[in-house]
Amino acid sequence: MLERQSNRKAWLYLAPALVLLLVFTFYPLFNALRLSFVYWTDTNTVGGFSLIYNFYFVLTDRMFWKALQNTAWIVFISVPVSVIVALLISVFLNSIKKFQSVFQTIFFLPYVTNGIAIGMAFAFIFNVDYGLFNMVIGWFGINPINWVNTGATWGHAMTALLIYTVWGGLAFKIMVFLSGLQSIDKQYYDAARIDATPRWRVFTRITVPLLSPMIMYITITSFIGAFKAYSTVVGMFGTSLAPNGALTKDSLITVVGFIYQYVNEIPVNPSAASMAAASAIILFLITLVFTGLQVLVSRKRVHY
Amino acid sequence: MNNKEKETKTKQIIVKVLVYGFLVFTAILITIPFYWMILTSLKPFDMIVNETQPSVFLRFSEMAFENYANAVQAAPYFTFMLNTVTVSFFATIGTVFTTILAAFAFARLNFKGRDLLFSVLISTMMIPGEIFVITNFDTMARLGLLGGDKGILSFLAMNDGIFTQSHLQANIALILPFMTSIFYIFFLRQTFKQIPDELYLAAKVDGTSDFKYLRRIMVPIATPTIITITILNAMGTWGAYIWPTLITQKTEYRLVQNGLREAYTDFAGMVAYNEQMAAALIVTFPLLVVFLLLRKYIMRGVSRSGIKG
């Protein structure tokens, strides 16, 4: 780029951001790592260091596996579904001229609202007695189902949560896909039209490959985000992360929710910090491995 | 040829109908939660409870505007909004300030370790935020922002009714960790990079200092992006939930989403759904207004972030 080295000046410019990042990002990272290796003899006394104790403790906790299971469901269902639906919507959206901006605004609405407020709205839609959803399925002769209220079972609760999650995730994806589609060179489509290529072929052989960098970016970031699912569950079910009075087997706790249970304990039980750190690191490793796999897979399929 | 033309034309019309139909259908699905929220918030309570089939429309005379009055009384939303605006204001100023400087350094200046540092920063974006929270909570205690002496125990005394955290302390604790953001630095750097080198060289020839160049030329050109960052950041504070819950002692210090959730924690008993929806709408409404007024900036910012991954 530009010739002159401006070392001292550059660091001056970076200083404000870096200081903050050092304190609130880098230091916590190393501290969390350190904490995960600390061995506590009881809730208040540090006994020494142990490479595996905390990790072992977390990995043998049934609650952790429940949380992991729930998170897995959320990740592997909501992400593919919302990516595909978003892709379809953006392609259709890209093909019309009139009302495109009106539709864009509508589809983007869920992005600006989030978390608790809309979670409550969805919880009400899925209400067993007064909800919209049960009314609609009633038109098809299906009896009302208890989705999220007291006594709801895991299957129904998870379904409701997944629907909410997919709904919320569409807006961002549609935006990115749409702008990606609009930046595809028209020449490709013109050439296809000259050859009278059928629409489906155009989609699979031209659109998708040219859009593949976007698709990869969206898929990877969506998976990473889905692993962190937590506030959506709180929005729908409250801090208990489960339908009222539910047993463990019906809980929708996620890995992040699991971590926060420990974090909330820290004031009374300092040793919980190590557990929280260990769980968070496990989550990070899982996410890392998964993302790595995705990058490998995409190497073969993404065209730049 | 006439028949063939007619055939293709009908096919085109059918396709168009299908496409619009699909879009309208999905658009309706997307708006249903909003519509239902508004609808429910205006229903009198007995209508909700007694109807076997919830009505889909409401006559003006039936609308129960008192739901909003009741909702506002259930929780001090004004306080929460004030808190949220305050926190958002300072956090955003901090972010914009640090981001502009840092993005300039990465985009324009040449220094040793630039690319390495940048890659390190980018890779931290993948780390779940919970890892940071654990230590940041402790850091806040050490900085004395959790109240009383520098201990977590005094923070905990809130459970015994002893509140020592001042509003100012709570606010600082809420603002401080969020006065910078790697994501926005990355984003602004991309915009800065698009400003042609020639401008910089020309300015240099005139003897302009780097800082003047940044202030007088780069910032004005990149203003749309900076506005987008400001808006997105402010909106982010509006949706904050986890961190405020963690580090504030008193409910009055908390933000808008906390207030909403706490006002309507589910009991086994009957929740006043219409009031709950009214409250949810009160909380969401400012965001919607901001979005409708400034959607150009918001949407552009989101779509730009996806280009060039």
Side-chain angles (χ1 to χ4, degrees):
Chain A
M1 180 179 307
L2 274 328
E3 346 58 36
R4 251 185 346 154
Q5 285 268 15
S6 345
N7 282 340
R8 198 161 24 165
K9 187 188 307 190
W11 290 105
L12 209 60
Y13 276 93
L14 287 172
L18 271 187
V19 163
L20 283 164
L21 286 174
L22 257 151
V23 173
F24 295 109
T25 307
F26 291 113
Y27 167 60
L29 250 170
F30 291 117
N31 200 30
L33 201 58
R34 177 190 70 87
L35 271 174
S36 68
F37 296 133
V38 168
Y39 173 70
W40 302 74
T41 46
D42 65 47
T43 60
N44 264 304
T45 353
V46 176
F49 281 93
S50 159
L51 262 184
I52 55 169
Y53 180 74
N54 295 321
F55 293 99
Y56 177 73
F57 196 83
V58 168
L59 288 172
T60 49
D61 188 344
R62 256 184 42 195
M63 207 46 156
F64 176 74
W65 288 101
K66 181 76 187 156
L68 193 58
Q69 205 185 17
N70 286 333
T71 310
W73 275 90
I74 297 177
V75 166
F76 291 111
I77 297 197
S78 73
V79 175
V81 169
S82 56
V83 168
I84 294 177
V85 172
L87 197 54
L88 277 175
I89 294 182
S90 350
V91 167
F92 280 31
L93 205 49
N94 193 37
S95 68
I96 65 171
K97 266 166 253 126
K98 259 203 272 204
F99 298 121
Q100 199 188 64
S101 58
V102 172
F103 276 117
Q104 254 190 331
T105 312
I106 294 181
F107 283 123
F108 200 59
L109 271 175
Y111 184 75
V112 298
T113 65
N114 69 340
I116 319 293
I118 299 290
M120 284 181 168
F122 265 91
F124 184 61
I125 290 182
F126 279 109
N127 188 296
V128 58
D129 297 314
Y130 318 116
L132 177 63
F133 205 79
N134 278 344
M135 172 175 101
V136 170
I137 63 176
W139 294 343
F140 296 98
I142 310 179
N143 282 327
I145 300 181
N146 186 356
W147 298 100
V148 301
N149 298 97
T150 314
T153 54
W154 182 88
H156 296 136
M158 180 56 89
T159 312
L161 180 69
L162 286 173
I163 294 181
Y164 171 42
T165 309
V166 168
W167 180 89
L170 284 175
F172 181 75
K173 303 181 177 65
I174 292 178
M175 273 301 127
V176 173
F177 284 149
L178 195 58
S179 72
L181 284 169
Q182 286 168 347
S183 64
I184 292 181
D185 204 332
K186 297 283 185 283
Q187 289 183 11
Y188 293 106
Y189 291 123
D190 290 339
R193 196 171 332 147
I194 294 180
D195 289 343
T197 325
R199 278 189 123 86
W200 181 247
R201 263 278 194 74
V202 172
F203 182 67
T204 49
R205 291 300 168 92
I206 299 184
T207 311
V208 171
L210 283 175
L211 201 57
S212 51
M214 290 309 148
I215 301 182
M216 179 182 96
Y217 167 73
I218 286 288
T219 314
I220 292 186
T221 45
S222 302
F223 274 121
I224 294 180
F227 272 114
K228 303 201 236 174
Y230 174 65
S231 34
T232 39
V233 186
V234 173
M236 214 177 213
F237 297 101
T239 33
S240 63
L241 299 179
N244 224 328
L247 315 154
T248 312
K249 71 172 178 65
D250 287 326
S251 168
L252 287 191
I253 187 173
T254 57
V255 178
V256 173
F258 180 79
I259 297 177
Y260 276 118
Q261 274 187 345
Y262 274 121
V263 173
N264 279 315
E265 259 184 57
I266 294 183
V268 271
N269 175 11
S271 67
S274 283
M275 294 302 160
S279 334
I281 290 183
I282 293 177
L283 176 64
F284 172 57
L285 289 174
I286 295 178
T287 314
L288 191 64
V289 165
F290 202 67
T291 309
L293 280 173
Q294 276 190 287
V295 173
L296 279 178
V297 163
S298 68
R299 281 272 160 79
K300 293 194 197 152
R301 291 163 152 258
V302 175
H303 313 248
Y304 281 104
Chain B
M1 279 299 121
N2 211 356
N3 258 342
K4 191 120 197 243
E5 276 176 9
K6 267 203 195 150
E7 221 187 271
T8 2
K9 245 212 170 136
T10 5
K11 233 211 277 178
Q12 276 185 344
I13 296 183
I14 294 183
V15 167
K16 265 243 158 89
V17 165
L18 282 175
V19 168
Y20 274 102
F22 176 75
L23 286 174
V24 168
F25 178 65
T26 33
I28 292 181
L29 284 181
I30 295 274
T31 28
I32 282 183
F34 293 108
Y35 178 70
W36 204 249
M37 210 163 82
I38 301 178
L39 184 70
T40 312
S41 70
L42 290 171
K43 282 187 182 169
F45 192 59
D46 40 325
M47 192 188 241
I48 297 187
V49 182
N50 293 331
E51 286 184 327
T52 40
Q53 287 238 337
S55 38
V56 186
F57 289 110
L58 214 51
R59 256 168 298 187
F60 196 73
S61 52
E62 299 172 313
M63 292 192 186
F65 290 105
E66 60 267 14
N67 290 336
Y68 285 89
N70 292 338
V72 170
Q73 285 182 353
Y77 290 109
F78 184 66
T79 314
F80 294 131
M81 288 201 188
L82 201 61
N83 289 342
T84 313
V85 169
T86 315
V87 168
S88 165
F89 180 71
F90 286 105
T92 308
I93 288 187
T95 304
V96 170
F97 180 69
T98 58
T99 305
I100 291 182
L101 291 179
F104 179 68
F106 280 118
R108 258 281 157 265
L109 301 176
N110 227 348
F111 57 98
K112 212 167 17 165
R114 181 182 68 185
D115 294 324
L116 177 63
L117 182 60
F118 195 64
S119 328
V120 168
L121 289 185
I122 297 291
S123 50
T124 57
M125 290 210 283
M126 204 187 356
I127 302 177
E130 295 64 47
I131 291 190
F132 309 126
V133 166
I134 305 167
T135 313
N136 287 339
F137 183 61
D138 188 52
T139 310
M140 289 300 150
R142 302 233 200 135
L143 289 174
L145 292 173
L146 292 186
D149 55 54
K150 295 183 182 237
I152 296 190
L153 284 177
S154 67
F155 181 66
L156 200 61
M158 68 175 162
N159 292 333
D160 299 327
I162 308 174
F163 299 98
T164 47
Q165 189 186 36
S166 75
H167 202 158
L168 179 64
Q169 287 172 327
N171 277 344
I172 296 182
L174 281 169
I175 296 172
L176 212 47
F178 299 105
M179 291 183 86
T180 192
S181 156
I182 299 179
F183 178 70
Y184 295 133
I185 294 179
F186 176 57
F187 190 40
L188 190 57
R189 168 185 175 267
Q190 273 182 302
T191 311
F192 275 168
K193 274 194 161 219
Q194 288 173 352
I195 299 179
D197 289 355
E198 293 77 49
L199 269 168
Y200 185 58
L201 293 172
K204 276 291 165 178
V205 164
D206 286 343
T208 322
S209 76
D210 275 330
F211 189 64
K212 228 183 187 172
Y213 178 67
L214 173 64
R215 228 186 51 196
R216 290 279 172 95
I217 301 189
M218 290 195 101
V219 167
I221 294 184
T223 304
T225 310
I226 297 180
I227 295 184
T228 305
I229 294 180
T230 314
I231 298 173
L232 285 178
N233 198 328
M235 282 170 48
T237 315
W238 201 265
Y241 177 76
I242 300 176
W243 182 246
T245 317
L246 220 48
I247 54 141
T248 49
Q249 253 190 355
K250 288 204 217 167
T251 314
E252 295 90 72
Y253 298 155
R254 292 193 188 146
L255 303 189
V256 135
Q257 302 285 344
N258 306 105
L260 183 60
R261 182 74 263 175
E262 283 168 27
Y264 296 107
T265 334
D266 248 56
F267 319 107
M270 182 67 72
V271 178
Y273 292 113
N274 49 349
E275 207 180 284
Q276 190 190 46
M277 289 299 114
L281 210 56
I282 293 177
V283 164
T284 314
F285 188 68
L287 277 181
L288 284 173
V289 168
V290 167
F291 169 63
L292 288 174
L293 291 178
L294 300 167
R295 66 170 181 264
K296 196 172 49 150
Y297 292 104
I298 301 176
M299 299 206 290
R300 176 215 312 230
V302 170
S303 50
R304 272 268 204 89
S305 68
I307 297 189
K308 204 175 169 329

